[in-house]
Amino acid sequence: MSNFLDEDVPSPEDFPPPSNAPGLRELDEALRCNICKELYSAPVTIPCGHCFCSLELPRLAKQECPVCRAPANESQIRKNAKLEDAVRAWNLARPLVLNLVKEEERRRKRKEARQSTPPPVDGYRNRVGQASPKKRKLSPQTDGEESDVVEVTASQLAKSNLAGFGIIEDKGKRRTRSEGRSSSPPPRPSSSKSPQEATCPSCGKMVPFSTINDHLDSGCKLYLKSDAKQKQKQKDGWGNIFGNPETGSSKAKGKGRSREDLPIEDTAEPLPKVSYGTLKPKRLKEMLQELDLPSTGERDVLQARHQRWIIIFNANLDASERKSTNQLKQDLAAWEKAKQSKKPTVDEKKYERENHQVYADLIARAKASAPPKAQPRSSPNEGPLSSPISVDGDSSSDTATLDEKPGMEVDP
Amino acid sequence: MSTNCRRRLIRDFKRLSTDPPGGISGSPCPDNIMLWNAVIFGPADTPFEDGTFKLLLTFEETYPTKPPTVKFLSRMFHPNVYANGELCLDILQNRWSPTYDVAAILTSIQSLLHDPNPNSPANAEAAQLYRENMKEYVRRVRATVEESWLDPEEHEKMAEGASGV
């Protein structure tokens, strides 16, 4: 039943509850559009301060904020560059943070499990082992677990270029590190760089090992590992995430690529809105052809296509990482395809019978989550006969019902 | 293919199953995410208390721009529920906002059980009794609560037997 939950659709619930990871669900939720619940793409702000994906806002014909219903109109929409930066950074950091948090959860659970199991060989060692982590590596079992933690953390750090941030330095993790060092791979953040490089003790930047003295003599100016190279690497990373052809697949960009494949330029103007009321299908077709869009279908299909194109095109202008015309056309096609799917029709009586078990499970879950009552009454499972209330219209049962529920409001 | 609507519904499901509001549960059909089953447990201190009311939510690709169709499968006696199970609830009609999700919809319906609005009646008799004869209103509601505990088969038998209730 829950295989939908296994699909790769990131959501705030990927993070542990606030009790275990304060703020992370909230952070992930805050960086998501309230409408599509995706991480913001081309976020825009309206006067009340609420933000949405640019693509979502023009759909709001109601002239009000979808969250707080404060009045808002299209001319007040402004792009929110700072939020876009934050989302871009979170997009990069999210997988790493998620991994770290999950690892931490696993570690905590293992610890709890260990504490709840009786001491294995000699009670003394185990007791001490918990109080003082240094002793823990005496037990080969725990040592294995801990070095496991280190490997994951170190490789994650290496991957993400965050080595210098000292994430593994803080809190209880310090001991994890010192223990990990006793096993083979050195868990220092330096695992992310080649052995020919060293961290400059003065400026903290990475310098080829052979030139470290010259570097220091130059006042930390010479022989720096080129920043430009790192920036390009980062840029490539963003490109991979956002699918931006300019940065992401710079090699693929060759002579064969047309203008259609390039991101839309900064100078592009938003398309004006059209009042379709008086337009003949022929004119609509021409307009679509001018835009190099499909011009097949009935009048309302043509109009919907044209309208949607304006929305997609203009929303793309609010993004700093713009899509190409071809990508936008694919988006339009996907939208049109999705629109064609029909509303499912259901024979309700039959449906209810067929899904009897599903509903039984749901009932059990709803009951379990219902706020507890002071004095539970007869269980509904026992059937109607166990209840004092009669269904057959016997008026004597009225008093029974009302007496039994003194808190209920009844007209005098 | 994963459309925006589908992704949104998967997220709605994640939220509803991770952090369900009290007395509410719901899940999509295993083979069709556009069709959801839900159960609302009658809120305490209302005549609906202990009822297990079944609902069916039908989504279209226009979700969340447009609201889903929500219907009670269980028979209801409520000023704002039509005889066919459809609801008269502003947030499912003209007050819909695309920021609502399944959890928000079900919570709103739960609170509608708590506070009926007799001014926009879908069931005129229920609205009238709610205003003028609370005793009878409660009795009629309790009857639907007991019906809600029955299996669908028992339900049909009962409908055939006593048509008066």
Side-chain angles (χ1 to χ4, degrees):
Chain A
M1 184 215 283
S2 51
N3 52 356
F4 288 124
L5 293 181
D6 300 335
E7 289 189 32
D8 183 26
V9 179
S11 78
E13 288 75 25
D14 298 340
F15 292 96
S19 50
N20 293 347
L24 278 182
R25 272 193 196 172
E26 290 88 337
L27 175 64
D28 197 56
E29 183 139 3
L31 294 176
R32 286 179 187 279
C33 168
N34 292 70
I35 298 176
C36 62
K37 313 266 172 171
E38 304 277 352
L39 288 174
Y40 281 111
S41 127
V44 291
T45 311
I46 48 178
C48 60
H50 286 117
C51 298
F52 305 92
C53 292
S54 179
L55 195 54
E56 306 296 337
L57 257 200
R59 291 204 225 161
L60 311 165
K62 279 184 170 178
Q63 308 270 310
E64 62 178 26
C65 169
V67 173
C68 66
R69 298 193 192 273
N73 66 56
E74 237 177 275
S75 67
Q76 295 167 318
I77 297 176
R78 297 285 177 272
K79 79 190 223 187
N80 191 334
K82 225 37 195 166
L83 180 57
E84 194 175 20
D85 289 348
V87 171
R88 189 179 298 134
W90 181 236
N91 251 317
L92 286 172
R94 195 178 188 274
L96 169 66
V97 174
L98 201 55
N99 250 315
L100 290 174
V101 162
K102 288 212 169 125
E103 195 52 48
E104 177 69 23
E105 283 268 282
R106 272 195 286 276
R107 216 167 54 90
R108 198 175 48 80
K109 277 190 187 135
R110 273 203 296 259
K111 205 174 160 193
E112 277 170 14
R114 222 180 292 142
Q115 273 166 352
S116 61
T117 48
V121 189
D122 87 47
Y124 171 74
R125 181 190 289 173
N126 199 44
R127 223 169 39 233
V128 173
Q130 264 155 33
S132 146
K134 282 201 174 163
K135 301 266 180 181
R136 218 190 287 168
K137 71 180 159 193
L138 287 176
S139 143
Q141 183 201 351
T142 39
D143 196 24
E145 283 173 26
E146 295 296 349
S147 60
D148 177 46
V149 172
V150 168
E151 269 173 42
V152 170
T153 325
S155 69
Q156 282 300 329
L157 285 168
K159 236 190 263 169
S160 68
N161 260 341
L162 279 177
F165 283 43
I167 285 184
I168 51 171
E169 294 279 348
D170 66 13
K171 287 189 191 165
K173 286 195 176 160
R174 184 185 290 273
R175 64 179 146 89
T176 317
R177 256 191 60 202
S178 58
E179 267 178 13
R181 198 173 279 162
S182 67
S183 59
S184 49
R188 271 243 95 206
S190 58
S191 59
S192 63
K193 59 194 179 189
S194 66
Q196 283 81 29
E197 291 161 17
T199 310
C200 167
S202 169
C203 67
K205 288 186 177 146
M206 277 198 271
V207 185
F209 187 71
S210 52
T211 59
I212 183 110
N213 284 331
D214 295 337
H215 166 76
L216 281 166
D217 291 344
S218 74
C220 296
K221 281 185 184 124
L222 277 177
Y223 301 114
L224 278 178
K225 260 205 97 191
S226 121
D227 275 355
K229 215 188 230 169
Q230 279 189 336
K231 271 187 187 152
Q232 182 56 41
K233 220 167 142 192
Q234 250 176 344
K235 226 176 164 188
D236 282 351
W238 288 344
N240 291 337
I241 286 167
F242 290 103
N244 185 324
E246 184 160 64
T247 53
S249 49
S250 44
K251 270 176 202 155
K253 191 168 75 178
K255 295 159 202 162
R257 290 164 65 89
S258 73
R259 204 169 149 269
E260 295 265 284
D261 290 320
L262 296 176
I264 288 163
E265 311 86 10
D266 288 351
T267 50
E269 288 288 320
L271 296 172
K273 273 191 161 180
V274 180
S275 53
Y276 297 92
T278 55
L279 289 182
K280 296 242 157 55
K282 188 163 167 268
R283 176 66 195 130
L284 261 172
K285 276 186 189 180
E286 284 168 10
M287 285 161 61
L288 287 165
Q289 277 158 3
E290 281 163 24
L291 293 164
D292 203 16
L293 297 173
S295 56
T296 50
E298 299 290 313
R299 192 192 178 283
D300 48 344
V301 175
L302 297 175
Q303 177 180 325
R305 189 181 296 144
H306 194 265
Q307 260 173 329
R308 183 68 190 174
W309 176 256
I310 292 179
I311 291 173
I312 292 180
F313 186 89
N314 290 350
N316 187 44
L317 298 183
D318 287 325
S320 55
E321 309 261 349
R322 292 192 184 160
K323 294 185 178 181
S324 69
T325 313
N326 271 346
Q327 279 171 310
L328 295 185
K329 281 181 185 169
Q330 282 166 20
D331 291 352
L332 181 71
W335 172 83
E336 210 159 324
K337 195 175 165 206
K339 213 167 81 96
Q340 281 162 2
S341 66
K342 288 277 177 322
K343 183 178 171 178
T345 46
V346 189
D347 174 355
E348 283 149 28
K349 280 279 165 259
K350 194 166 153 245
Y351 183 86
E352 193 184 346
R353 234 181 344 232
E354 283 170 358
N355 287 271
H356 181 222
Q357 193 48 49
V358 175
Y359 276 112
D361 293 345
L362 287 173
I363 288 171
R365 263 163 43 202
K367 263 186 207 165
S369 70
K373 281 177 285 174
Q375 187 63 58
R377 296 165 1 109
S378 61
S379 158
N381 290 336
E382 290 166 31
L385 291 177
S386 67
S387 163
I389 311 153
S390 151
V391 195
D392 61 10
D394 176 4
S395 61
S396 67
S397 65
D398 286 354
T399 32
T401 319
L402 298 172
D403 289 347
E404 199 185 51
K405 301 179 59 57
M408 199 180 298
E409 274 179 51
V410 177
D411 283 348
Chain B
M1 190 180 73
S2 191
T3 62
N4 295 343
C5 163
R6 200 184 135 83
R7 287 169 69 83
R8 173 64 141 76
L9 285 170
I10 290 172
R11 286 201 173 94
D12 282 14
F13 185 29
K14 272 194 180 179
R15 166 135 185 244
L16 192 63
S17 41
T18 316
D19 195 11
I24 283 173
S25 63
S27 65
C29 261
D31 54 348
N32 185 358
I33 197 158
M34 310 300 270
L35 218 54
W36 283 54
N37 311 304
V39 166
I40 294 180
F41 202 55
D45 301 324
T46 72
F48 296 93
E49 182 168 356
D50 285 341
T52 50
F53 303 109
K54 300 172 193 168
L55 296 113
L56 181 66
L57 288 78
T58 316
F59 295 85
E60 286 180 79
E61 277 294 337
T62 46
Y63 178 79
T65 308
K66 299 270 165 58
T69 312
V70 183
K71 243 178 150 172
F72 274 106
L73 294 184
S74 307
R75 196 177 70 84
M76 297 300 285
F77 188 75
H78 186 285
N80 307 109
V81 182
Y82 291 96
N84 65 1
E86 277 172 31
L87 285 105
C88 179
L89 181 57
D90 57 354
I91 66 129
L92 289 178
Q93 283 134 25
N94 50 354
R95 297 280 286 170
W96 170 255
S97 159
T99 62
Y100 294 150
D101 65 357
V102 177
I105 294 170
L106 294 176
T107 312
S108 293
I109 297 175
Q110 193 185 37
S111 72
L112 187 70
L113 296 186
H114 224 284
D115 301 303
N117 176 7
N119 295 323
S120 61
N123 179 338
E125 192 189 4
Q128 193 200 353
L129 288 179
Y130 181 76
R131 272 193 305 250
E132 294 164 13
N133 187 350
M134 185 52 89
K135 221 177 183 182
E136 178 65 7
Y137 172 76
V138 170
R139 196 186 67 80
R140 297 284 294 272
V141 171
R142 293 308 299 173
T144 62
V145 168
E146 303 209 357
E147 255 181 68
S148 76
W149 301 333
L150 301 175
D151 289 340
E153 289 84 19
E154 295 177 85
H155 229 126
E156 277 157 33
K157 263 184 239 156
M158 218 181 90
E160 285 164 22
S163 54
V165 185

